[in-house]
Amino acid sequence: MASPDEPGSGPGLARERTSLAWTRTALSFGAVGGVVLKKEVIPGLILLAVAPAIWLLGRLAYRSREKHKLVTATIVGVALVALIVAFTH
């Protein structure tokens, strides 16, 4: 557990850490999409198309008042895409 004296452990940086997590998730989807694209074109393109959408929705989620609904919709959307890709293989 981080001590309160460590840099980056303050509550004021929670928004920045969340933003970085959304960016990291989008990059991960892009990387996996690139790997899948080498074997299967359609699922790879789907994953590559989802990556910028994840990044954009992550950015928009913390600028709107109804951020919880947007975050929930994003998670459900990503889960559905993952399910579709899993069943098409």
Side-chain angles (χ1 to χ4, degrees):
M1 185 166 174
S3 71
D5 297 332
E6 287 184 34
S9 65
L13 296 176
R15 184 176 295 223
E16 182 66 23
R17 287 190 301 267
T18 301
S19 174
L20 290 171
W22 280 100
T23 302
R24 185 176 55 241
T25 302
L27 286 172
S28 298
F29 266 81
V32 170
V35 170
V36 171
L37 189 62
K38 289 182 177 183
K39 295 282 185 182
E40 298 288 330
V41 176
I42 299 300
L45 290 175
I46 291 171
L47 287 169
L48 286 174
V50 168
I54 291 171
W55 180 80
L56 182 62
L57 287 172
R59 294 285 179 186
L60 293 175
Y62 294 94
R63 291 198 172 106
S64 70
R65 289 190 165 174
E66 296 188 8
K67 64 182 176 183
H68 297 294
K69 289 180 184 178
L70 187 56
V71 169
T72 301
T74 303
I75 291 169
V76 169
V78 168
L80 287 175
V81 168
L83 188 64
I84 290 168
V85 169
F87 280 129
T88 59
H89 254 334

